[in-house]
Amino acid sequence: MYRFTRLAGVCLVFATLVALTGCSGSLRKNYMRDKAAEHVYQKSLVEVWPRVHDVLKDKGYSWRENPGRFVLETEWRDAGGGTLGPSTQSKFLVEGVTRPNGGVILRVQRLDRTTQEIGTNYTRGAIRTQTDRAIAINSGGARSTLPTQQTFARDLQLELELLQRIDPDAAAKLEADALSAHP
């Protein structure tokens, strides 16, 4: 009985340590994203903006912008899904703002839209040939799309990635702060 109790105690301690280690990592990531959202760059928008372009280009996005306005909107890009499940697309709105008391802030908004195709008006008989299939599709509208669902939110993860690329020293300090806050 004593061995069982001792083994159970060791297992409980091990499980607790594993859980706390996972929680600390999550807390550090959340801490870093939250602090990156408040970061003020000590550079001009003219210096920062080309790096924003680089990050978005590396992610495979193209965009439209008004020159000199420091606002850009990416084109829609497939983010997942397929023929058997919902299809998701996303795009970003990035805005650079010069603060009146100095410094620059970047704000990133992400828009995701999800659509789901469904089958409708199925035929009663078996479809055995390509002709039967073409008739079923063309005569009954065999596919339809559910209404599109859209979500719009601030993207703190991309803001953190921008910080890491634009101001690596500040990002390293932020990472050290996160590690000391959540060991």
Side-chain angles (χ1 to χ4, degrees), residues 98-117:
T98 302
R99 294 178 42 160
N101 56 349
V104 168
I105 56 174
L106 295 175
R107 294 294 173 254
V108 179
Q109 300 290 324
R110 180 184 177 126
L111 178 61
D112 291 315
R113 69 179 176 194
T114 304
T115 56
Q116 173 73 53
E117 285 196 14

PDB file of all heavy atoms in Angstrom, residues 98-117:
ATOM      1  N   THR A  98       1.519  58.227 -36.118  1.00  0.00           N
ATOM      2  CA  THR A  98       2.515  58.991 -35.375  1.00  0.00           C
ATOM      3  C   THR A  98       1.831  59.625 -34.184  1.00  0.00           C
ATOM      4  O   THR A  98       0.809  60.293 -34.331  1.00  0.00           O
ATOM      5  CB  THR A  98       3.138  60.087 -36.270  1.00  0.00           C
ATOM      6  OG1 THR A  98       3.723  59.466 -37.408  1.00  0.00           O
ATOM      7  CG2 THR A  98       4.193  60.872 -35.516  1.00  0.00           C
ATOM      8  N   ARG A  99       2.377  59.387 -33.007  1.00  0.00           N
ATOM      9  CA  ARG A  99       1.801  59.951 -31.777  1.00  0.00           C
ATOM     10  C   ARG A  99       2.206  61.414 -31.631  1.00  0.00           C
ATOM     11  O   ARG A  99       3.313  61.786 -31.999  1.00  0.00           O
ATOM     12  CB  ARG A  99       2.274  59.143 -30.575  1.00  0.00           C
ATOM     13  CG  ARG A  99       1.736  57.722 -30.609  1.00  0.00           C
ATOM     14  CD  ARG A  99       2.238  56.937 -29.466  1.00  0.00           C
ATOM     15  NE  ARG A  99       2.195  57.749 -28.251  1.00  0.00           N
ATOM     16  CZ  ARG A  99       2.203  57.287 -27.031  1.00  0.00           C
ATOM     17  NH1 ARG A  99       2.264  56.001 -26.846  1.00  0.00           N
ATOM     18  NH2 ARG A  99       2.176  58.071 -25.990  1.00  0.00           N
ATOM     19  N   PRO A 100       1.316  62.233 -31.078  1.00  0.00           N
ATOM     20  CA  PRO A 100       1.623  63.662 -30.928  1.00  0.00           C
ATOM     21  C   PRO A 100       2.847  63.932 -30.050  1.00  0.00           C
ATOM     22  O   PRO A 100       3.600  64.864 -30.297  1.00  0.00           O
ATOM     23  CB  PRO A 100       0.368  64.249 -30.276  1.00  0.00           C
ATOM     24  CG  PRO A 100      -0.688  63.218 -30.389  1.00  0.00           C
ATOM     25  CD  PRO A 100      -0.021  61.910 -30.630  1.00  0.00           C
ATOM     26  N   ASN A 101       3.065  63.097 -29.035  1.00  0.00           N
ATOM     27  CA  ASN A 101       4.196  63.316 -28.127  1.00  0.00           C
ATOM     28  C   ASN A 101       5.440  62.524 -28.538  1.00  0.00           C
ATOM     29  O   ASN A 101       6.357  62.359 -27.753  1.00  0.00           O
ATOM     30  CB  ASN A 101       3.808  62.998 -26.684  1.00  0.00           C
ATOM     31  CG  ASN A 101       3.277  61.586 -26.525  1.00  0.00           C
ATOM     32  OD1 ASN A 101       3.016  60.904 -27.514  1.00  0.00           O
ATOM     33  ND2 ASN A 101       3.107  61.148 -25.302  1.00  0.00           N
ATOM     34  N   GLY A 102       5.447  62.008 -29.755  1.00  0.00           N
ATOM     35  CA  GLY A 102       6.611  61.297 -30.280  1.00  0.00           C
ATOM     36  C   GLY A 102       6.395  59.802 -30.354  1.00  0.00           C
ATOM     37  O   GLY A 102       5.637  59.227 -29.592  1.00  0.00           O
ATOM     38  N   GLY A 103       7.061  59.193 -31.288  1.00  0.00           N
ATOM     39  CA  GLY A 103       6.962  57.757 -31.465  1.00  0.00           C
ATOM     40  C   GLY A 103       5.874  57.373 -32.451  1.00  0.00           C
ATOM     41  O   GLY A 103       5.083  58.199 -32.910  1.00  0.00           O
ATOM     42  N   VAL A 104       5.868  56.088 -32.767  1.00  0.00           N
ATOM     43  CA  VAL A 104       4.962  55.532 -33.764  1.00  0.00           C
ATOM     44  C   VAL A 104       4.317  54.277 -33.197  1.00  0.00           C
ATOM     45  O   VAL A 104       4.971  53.503 -32.488  1.00  0.00           O
ATOM     46  CB  VAL A 104       5.762  55.170 -35.045  1.00  0.00           C
ATOM     47  CG1 VAL A 104       4.961  54.341 -36.005  1.00  0.00           C
ATOM     48  CG2 VAL A 104       6.288  56.418 -35.713  1.00  0.00           C
ATOM     49  N   ILE A 105       3.044  54.061 -33.504  1.00  0.00           N
ATOM     50  CA  ILE A 105       2.376  52.811 -33.141  1.00  0.00           C
ATOM     51  C   ILE A 105       1.842  52.158 -34.407  1.00  0.00           C
ATOM     52  O   ILE A 105       1.517  52.837 -35.387  1.00  0.00           O
ATOM     53  CB  ILE A 105       1.239  53.028 -32.112  1.00  0.00           C
ATOM     54  CG1 ILE A 105       0.228  54.039 -32.624  1.00  0.00           C
ATOM     55  CG2 ILE A 105       1.799  53.447 -30.773  1.00  0.00           C
ATOM     56  CD1 ILE A 105      -0.990  54.203 -31.723  1.00  0.00           C
ATOM     57  N   LEU A 106       1.794  50.839 -34.390  1.00  0.00           N
ATOM     58  CA  LEU A 106       1.227  50.058 -35.486  1.00  0.00           C
ATOM     59  C   LEU A 106       0.030  49.286 -34.958  1.00  0.00           C
ATOM     60  O   LEU A 106       0.114  48.658 -33.902  1.00  0.00           O
ATOM     61  CB  LEU A 106       2.247  49.068 -36.048  1.00  0.00           C
ATOM     62  CG  LEU A 106       3.471  49.651 -36.725  1.00  0.00           C
ATOM     63  CD1 LEU A 106       4.434  48.542 -37.114  1.00  0.00           C
ATOM     64  CD2 LEU A 106       3.076  50.454 -37.955  1.00  0.00           C
ATOM     65  N   ARG A 107      -1.059  49.318 -35.692  1.00  0.00           N
ATOM     66  CA  ARG A 107      -2.263  48.561 -35.329  1.00  0.00           C
ATOM     67  C   ARG A 107      -2.614  47.638 -36.487  1.00  0.00           C
ATOM     68  O   ARG A 107      -2.660  48.080 -37.641  1.00  0.00           O
ATOM     69  CB  ARG A 107      -3.438  49.494 -35.038  1.00  0.00           C
ATOM     70  CG  ARG A 107      -3.252  50.351 -33.825  1.00  0.00           C
ATOM     71  CD  ARG A 107      -3.219  49.487 -32.555  1.00  0.00           C
ATOM     72  NE  ARG A 107      -2.885  50.265 -31.390  1.00  0.00           N
ATOM     73  CZ  ARG A 107      -1.722  50.226 -30.778  1.00  0.00           C
ATOM     74  NH1 ARG A 107      -0.754  49.454 -31.195  1.00  0.00           N
ATOM     75  NH2 ARG A 107      -1.499  50.961 -29.711  1.00  0.00           N
ATOM     76  N   VAL A 108      -2.868  46.380 -36.161  1.00  0.00           N
ATOM     77  CA  VAL A 108      -3.210  45.383 -37.171  1.00  0.00           C
ATOM     78  C   VAL A 108      -4.584  44.815 -36.847  1.00  0.00           C
ATOM     79  O   VAL A 108      -4.819  44.348 -35.728  1.00  0.00           O
ATOM     80  CB  VAL A 108      -2.171  44.234 -37.206  1.00  0.00           C
ATOM     81  CG1 VAL A 108      -2.558  43.201 -38.240  1.00  0.00           C
ATOM     82  CG2 VAL A 108      -0.782  44.773 -37.472  1.00  0.00           C
ATOM     83  N   GLN A 109      -5.470  44.869 -37.824  1.00  0.00           N
ATOM     84  CA  GLN A 109      -6.791  44.247 -37.714  1.00  0.00           C
ATOM     85  C   GLN A 109      -6.836  43.087 -38.705  1.00  0.00           C
ATOM     86  O   GLN A 109      -6.335  43.215 -39.828  1.00  0.00           O
ATOM     87  CB  GLN A 109      -7.906  45.246 -38.059  1.00  0.00           C
ATOM     88  CG  GLN A 109      -7.932  46.460 -37.183  1.00  0.00           C
ATOM     89  CD  GLN A 109      -8.389  46.135 -35.775  1.00  0.00           C
ATOM     90  OE1 GLN A 109      -9.243  45.294 -35.552  1.00  0.00           O
ATOM     91  NE2 GLN A 109      -7.803  46.826 -34.810  1.00  0.00           N
ATOM     92  N   ARG A 110      -7.434  41.981 -38.286  1.00  0.00           N
ATOM     93  CA  ARG A 110      -7.546  40.800 -39.155  1.00  0.00           C
ATOM     94  C   ARG A 110      -9.017  40.522 -39.399  1.00  0.00           C
ATOM     95  O   ARG A 110      -9.814  40.481 -38.465  1.00  0.00           O
ATOM     96  CB  ARG A 110      -6.895  39.600 -38.482  1.00  0.00           C
ATOM     97  CG  ARG A 110      -6.977  38.346 -39.315  1.00  0.00           C
ATOM     98  CD  ARG A 110      -6.396  37.159 -38.553  1.00  0.00           C
ATOM     99  NE  ARG A 110      -6.549  35.961 -39.327  1.00  0.00           N
ATOM    100  CZ  ARG A 110      -5.556  35.140 -39.635  1.00  0.00           C
ATOM    101  NH1 ARG A 110      -4.345  35.399 -39.196  1.00  0.00           N
ATOM    102  NH2 ARG A 110      -5.768  34.074 -40.353  1.00  0.00           N
ATOM    103  N   LEU A 111      -9.353  40.294 -40.656  1.00  0.00           N
ATOM    104  CA  LEU A 111     -10.705  39.932 -41.048  1.00  0.00           C
ATOM    105  C   LEU A 111     -10.663  38.526 -41.618  1.00  0.00           C
ATOM    106  O   LEU A 111      -9.892  38.249 -42.533  1.00  0.00           O
ATOM    107  CB  LEU A 111     -11.247  40.910 -42.092  1.00  0.00           C
ATOM    108  CG  LEU A 111     -12.643  40.638 -42.633  1.00  0.00           C
ATOM    109  CD1 LEU A 111     -13.681  40.692 -41.517  1.00  0.00           C
ATOM    110  CD2 LEU A 111     -13.007  41.633 -43.721  1.00  0.00           C
ATOM    111  N   ASP A 112     -11.439  37.628 -41.029  1.00  0.00           N
ATOM    112  CA  ASP A 112     -11.555  36.251 -41.522  1.00  0.00           C
ATOM    113  C   ASP A 112     -12.974  36.036 -42.004  1.00  0.00           C
ATOM    114  O   ASP A 112     -13.928  36.486 -41.364  1.00  0.00           O
ATOM    115  CB  ASP A 112     -11.266  35.241 -40.394  1.00  0.00           C
ATOM    116  CG  ASP A 112      -9.819  35.252 -39.964  1.00  0.00           C
ATOM    117  OD1 ASP A 112      -8.944  35.272 -40.834  1.00  0.00           O
ATOM    118  OD2 ASP A 112      -9.568  35.230 -38.746  1.00  0.00           O
ATOM    119  N   ARG A 113     -13.115  35.338 -43.113  1.00  0.00           N
ATOM    120  CA  ARG A 113     -14.447  34.961 -43.572  1.00  0.00           C
ATOM    121  C   ARG A 113     -14.445  33.467 -43.887  1.00  0.00           C
ATOM    122  O   ARG A 113     -13.487  32.931 -44.436  1.00  0.00           O
ATOM    123  CB  ARG A 113     -14.915  35.797 -44.754  1.00  0.00           C
ATOM    124  CG  ARG A 113     -14.180  35.570 -46.041  1.00  0.00           C
ATOM    125  CD  ARG A 113     -14.752  36.433 -47.153  1.00  0.00           C
ATOM    126  NE  ARG A 113     -13.971  36.260 -48.369  1.00  0.00           N
ATOM    127  CZ  ARG A 113     -14.042  37.051 -49.411  1.00  0.00           C
ATOM    128  NH1 ARG A 113     -14.864  38.074 -49.402  1.00  0.00           N
ATOM    129  NH2 ARG A 113     -13.314  36.818 -50.471  1.00  0.00           N
ATOM    130  N   THR A 114     -15.540  32.814 -43.497  1.00  0.00           N
ATOM    131  CA  THR A 114     -15.668  31.377 -43.667  1.00  0.00           C
ATOM    132  C   THR A 114     -16.929  31.090 -44.465  1.00  0.00           C
ATOM    133  O   THR A 114     -17.999  31.613 -44.152  1.00  0.00           O
ATOM    134  CB  THR A 114     -15.758  30.684 -42.291  1.00  0.00           C
ATOM    135  OG1 THR A 114     -14.610  31.043 -41.525  1.00  0.00           O
ATOM    136  CG2 THR A 114     -15.806  29.180 -42.436  1.00  0.00           C
ATOM    137  N   THR A 115     -16.796  30.265 -45.483  1.00  0.00           N
ATOM    138  CA  THR A 115     -17.953  29.837 -46.269  1.00  0.00           C
ATOM    139  C   THR A 115     -17.986  28.320 -46.289  1.00  0.00           C
ATOM    140  O   THR A 115     -16.963  27.656 -46.144  1.00  0.00           O
ATOM    141  CB  THR A 115     -17.889  30.360 -47.718  1.00  0.00           C
ATOM    142  OG1 THR A 115     -16.669  29.933 -48.305  1.00  0.00           O
ATOM    143  CG2 THR A 115     -17.967  31.869 -47.770  1.00  0.00           C
ATOM    144  N   GLN A 116     -19.165  27.782 -46.464  1.00  0.00           N
ATOM    145  CA  GLN A 116     -19.343  26.327 -46.475  1.00  0.00           C
ATOM    146  C   GLN A 116     -20.252  25.960 -47.640  1.00  0.00           C
ATOM    147  O   GLN A 116     -21.384  26.416 -47.708  1.00  0.00           O
ATOM    148  CB  GLN A 116     -19.975  25.857 -45.159  1.00  0.00           C
ATOM    149  CG  GLN A 116     -20.365  24.399 -45.136  1.00  0.00           C
ATOM    150  CD  GLN A 116     -19.163  23.476 -45.044  1.00  0.00           C
ATOM    151  OE1 GLN A 116     -18.346  23.641 -44.169  1.00  0.00           O
ATOM    152  NE2 GLN A 116     -19.064  22.522 -45.935  1.00  0.00           N
ATOM    153  N   GLU A 117     -19.742  25.167 -48.559  1.00  0.00           N
ATOM    154  CA  GLU A 117     -20.582  24.667 -49.641  1.00  0.00           C
ATOM    155  C   GLU A 117     -21.322  23.439 -49.143  1.00  0.00           C
ATOM    156  O   GLU A 117     -20.782  22.636 -48.379  1.00  0.00           O
ATOM    157  CB  GLU A 117     -19.736  24.319 -50.864  1.00  0.00           C
ATOM    158  CG  GLU A 117     -19.269  25.517 -51.618  1.00  0.00           C
ATOM    159  CD  GLU A 117     -18.776  25.177 -53.010  1.00  0.00           C
ATOM    160  OE1 GLU A 117     -19.039  24.061 -53.494  1.00  0.00           O
ATOM    161  OE2 GLU A 117     -18.136  26.047 -53.613  1.00  0.00           O
TER     162      GLU A 117
END
